[in-house]
Amino acid sequence: MGIVDLFLQASSSVSLLGALALLLFVYFISSVSFSSKKDRKCPPGPKPLPILGNLLQFDLKRPYNTLMKLSKTYGSVFTVYLGPKKVVVLAGYKTVKEALIDHAEEFGERDPIMLVQNANHEHGVLWSNGESWKEMRRFALTNLRDFGMGKKACENKIIEECSYLMEELKKWKGEPFDTTHPINYAVSNIICSMVYGNRFEYDDPEFTSLVDRTNTLIQISGSPSVLVYDLFPWIGPLVNNKKLFQSLFAANKKQNLQLFAAAKEMLNPQMCRSFVDSFLARQQILEKSGTNVHFHDENLMSTVMNLFNAGTDTTATTLRWGLLLMAKYPLIQDQVQEELRRVIGSRQVQVEDRKSLPFTDAVIHETQRLANIVPMALPHKTSQDVTLQGFFIEKGTTVYPLLTSVLYDETEWEKPLNFYPAHFLDKDGKFVKREAFLPFSAGRRICLGEGLAKMELFIFFSTLLQHFRFRPPPGVSEDHLDLTPRVGLTLNPSAHKLCAVSCL
């Protein structure tokens, strides 16, 4: 559905007079916002149209590609108008680092999209701001660590889940299968064990429906119609994805309420088994003392759903990209498996093996870089007036740190558009860190599950490559494996199947 079509359909659903008044109002606001004060140097950008801004210049399915092209013309700090909404875009490693790290406080707020704002009411850890966000993020970090994040206990959970995942892959006996469900379920079980206190079977309909709905919600959140709805909320009745989002979100919320109710019945504040238990125990204590401000049911719901969504989608998506890239580049898969055979043999891979597997580690990092699964990060917002690289950006401005431009920065990467693990290896084949490797973003809003994700990616990827050879389906050559990402808030691989052939 195009922009013009959306406006034509919307105008038929309201009175002509009301539509005219609304358009005149939006035009007035747009005209004011488009004008800049002469005494301040604002970031440059393409000239916007009234009401529509620069939308007609955008590929709404892949807006990050449009922003990359615009950065070539307007530089590393520039302005675009998405409808009447002013957005400052940050491009390139040095610029993104300067903003998110050197000016972390000024660029540290979140600008939630309309659908999410309506669903979460700015609660939780992902889309919230202010004291509530600080309290929930601090509590989440502390308790996820208490329940194993970054520790041996978590490593053991991942290793155990690997065994369940491998049994699932063996059922296909080398025949083509869609990697989506088994990978998503395996990765989701790790965050489930921390948040809910237990893992689930891959054929448990309550579990699988929760995971599948979550993946659909994330895909919908990045759709063109949701982007346009975010800019022009009055077209809401015409946006089918809005209705679908609300329906799926309500179903996930209902399922979580049932899990919370069960947790309350079994709660022993002296022996908390999960994040939910810890939250409920803290809630009881603060309510008795009359000092409870942030530990309410809405924050529990939003925080748990944030953790579940982020803890499932991003790691599972990266792992699926890794397996697809191995099938597409069999010579690189050869090198990974040779290193695993030489260093590990048939024993179980452990986190401490990472330093002895530099090529495997480089392949995982290069997968994260090239997959670029959150190309525009999540939207930021300035907390105060700030000057960046000589440009004035006023308080409350939406900011897109263009992570694509960091991970594909031509001044930082030798072959930015190619799958090239040597980006992370020195001349002696030893692993090297790269400053421009920012797949988890940076600053105050850096992914709070970064340590967990790194552990999961290393153990899952290495263990799967140790036991299976991943190939395209019969009759499909490596060249025909499509690396075009699917449209969504995160960039998943397009629909595909692989063969997992046992090699141990």
Side-chain angles (χ1 to χ4, degrees):
M1 181 181 290
I3 298 292
V4 176
D5 295 331
L6 285 169
F7 274 92
L8 288 175
Q9 289 190 33
S11 65
S12 67
S13 66
V14 296
S15 69
L16 180 60
L17 182 60
L20 180 60
L22 181 62
L23 290 175
L24 287 172
F25 173 74
V26 172
Y27 176 72
F28 173 75
I29 296 298
S30 301
S31 299
V32 172
S33 64
F34 290 159
S35 64
S36 59
K37 296 182 179 180
K38 294 181 180 179
D39 59 340
R40 287 171 173 169
K41 183 182 179 184
C42 295
K47 185 176 181 180
L49 295 172
I51 302 173
L52 294 180
N54 302 115
L55 279 178
L56 296 182
Q57 298 173 248
F58 270 72
D59 175 357
L60 293 183
K61 289 185 176 181
R62 294 181 173 83
Y64 53 92
N65 284 341
T66 302
L67 296 178
M68 285 289 285
K69 292 177 183 177
L70 290 173
S71 71
K72 304 297 183 185
T73 301
Y74 297 101
S76 59
V77 183
F78 63 96
T79 301
V80 294
Y81 285 89
L82 302 179
K85 185 174 188 176
K86 178 181 179 179
V87 176
V88 170
V89 182
L90 311 177
Y93 166 64
K94 291 182 174 60
T95 301
V96 171
K97 174 183 176 294
E98 182 179 350
L100 300 190
I101 297 177
D102 300 342
H103 296 280
E105 187 71 28
E106 295 94 323
F107 287 92
E109 289 200 350
R110 181 70 75 215
D111 186 30
I113 61 177
M114 183 70 66
L115 269 181
V116 174
Q117 187 172 23
N118 292 342
N120 287 290
H121 305 291
E122 296 196 23
H123 298 308
V125 291
L126 205 56
W127 298 97
S128 57
N129 290 302
E131 288 303 314
S132 179
W133 169 73
K134 291 178 183 178
E135 188 68 28
M136 289 301 102
R137 183 178 173 92
R138 184 162 48 241
F139 182 80
L141 277 170
T142 299
N143 281 273
L144 289 177
R145 286 169 184 157
D146 288 345
F147 293 111
M149 187 171 75
K151 298 180 180 179
K152 187 66 177 179
C154 183
E155 179 179 357
N156 291 338
K157 289 177 183 178
I158 301 170
I159 289 172
E160 179 186 8
E161 197 61 44
C162 278
S163 65
Y164 292 112
L165 176 58
M166 287 190 294
E167 288 304 312
E168 192 69 20
L169 299 194
K170 287 176 183 176
K171 292 178 182 178
W172 292 94
K173 298 179 180 178
E175 295 298 315
F177 72 101
D178 188 333
T179 61
T180 305
H181 288 154
I183 298 297
N184 284 346
Y185 299 156
V187 171
S188 184
N189 261 331
I190 305 304
I191 195 67
C192 282
S193 68
M194 297 181 185
V195 171
Y196 302 117
N198 59 276
R199 68 173 301 277
F200 300 89
E201 298 298 330
Y202 297 173
D203 58 358
D204 181 337
E206 293 293 317
F207 171 61
T208 58
S209 60
L210 183 62
V211 177
D212 295 347
R213 282 194 298 264
T214 296
N215 290 333
T216 304
L217 283 167
I218 292 171
Q219 184 178 358
I220 289 172
S221 298
S223 64
S225 60
V226 167
L227 172 61
V228 176
Y229 165 68
D230 189 49
L231 304 174
F232 307 102
W234 51 275
I235 70 167
L238 303 170
V239 181
N240 289 330
N241 273 344
K242 175 194 172 187
K243 301 171 187 175
L244 179 57
F245 182 98
Q246 292 172 332
S247 173
L248 295 173
F249 188 90
N252 274 6
K253 187 174 181 179
K254 180 180 178 181
Q255 198 165 338
N256 271 289
L257 286 172
Q258 294 170 350
L259 292 167
F260 297 164
K264 286 181 181 179
E265 288 183 5
M266 300 174 61
L267 181 63
N268 179 352
Q270 279 71 49
M271 292 186 63
C272 293
R273 304 170 300 111
S274 66
F275 177 86
V276 171
D277 282 1
S278 293
F279 192 102
L280 293 172
R282 176 70 68 87
Q283 187 180 40
Q284 285 184 0
I285 294 170
L286 293 177
E287 285 178 350
K288 287 178 181 178
S289 66
T291 59
N292 191 10
V293 177
H294 302 300
F295 286 81
H296 47 72
D297 291 346
E298 292 82 1
N299 248 338
L300 173 61
M301 178 64 71
S302 294
T303 301
V304 164
M305 292 179 74
N306 290 164
L307 293 175
F308 183 86
N309 295 357
T312 296
D313 181 79
T314 53
T315 302
T317 297
T318 305
L319 189 55
R320 291 181 62 228
W321 275 114
L323 300 183
L324 178 61
L325 288 165
M326 290 301 92
K328 188 170 182 67
Y329 299 106
L331 294 180
I332 293 178
Q333 185 173 189
D334 288 342
Q335 290 178 267
V336 171
Q337 293 185 320
E338 188 281 327
E339 183 178 65
L340 287 167
R341 281 192 296 268
R342 174 168 43 83
V343 176
I344 306 299
S346 59
R347 69 170 174 83
Q348 174 60 51
V349 176
Q350 298 179 332
V351 170
E352 64 183 18
D353 293 319
R354 188 196 304 269
K355 60 183 179 295
S356 302
L357 297 168
F359 188 80
T360 302
D361 201 14
V363 166
I364 294 170
H365 280 71
E366 180 67 354
T367 296
Q368 291 180 270
R369 186 197 68 80
L370 189 67
N372 175 40
I373 65 170
V374 192
M376 297 189 297
L378 296 181
H380 286 235
K381 184 171 62 176
T382 49
S383 62
Q384 60 192 66
D385 291 352
V386 60
T387 299
L388 182 72
Q389 296 187 0
F391 296 111
F392 173 77
I393 305 170
E394 64 183 339
K395 176 182 178 180
T397 300
T398 300
V399 176
Y400 287 173
L402 192 57
L403 293 187
T404 298
S405 69
V406 178
L407 298 174
Y408 293 177
D409 191 328
E410 294 176 353
T411 66
E412 297 288 336
W413 307 98
E414 295 81 355
K415 300 182 179 182
L417 300 181
N418 296 338
F419 185 58
Y420 187 61
H423 282 139
F424 295 93
L425 298 169
D426 65 14
K427 60 182 178 60
D428 298 318
K430 295 180 180 179
F431 182 84
V432 291
K433 294 181 179 181
R434 300 291 295 264
E435 289 188 356
F437 180 71
L438 298 180
F440 299 101
S441 193
R444 296 176 77 225
R445 294 288 179 162
I446 191 170
C447 173
L448 63 82
E450 178 181 0
L452 174 61
K454 287 179 176 178
M455 183 181 286
E456 288 181 277
L457 286 172
F458 178 74
I459 295 178
F460 274 122
F461 182 82
S462 299
T463 303
L464 289 176
L465 268 292
Q466 184 185 22
H467 289 83
F468 296 99
R469 179 77 181 180
F470 290 90
R471 296 172 178 166
V476 178
S477 69
E478 290 88 359
D479 292 340
H480 286 89
L481 286 175
D482 187 10
L483 297 184
T484 304
R486 188 186 70 186
V487 176
L489 190 63
T490 57
L491 300 185
N492 274 262
S494 298
H496 67 278
K497 292 185 176 181
L498 297 178
C499 299
V501 181
S502 180
C503 60
L504 270 185

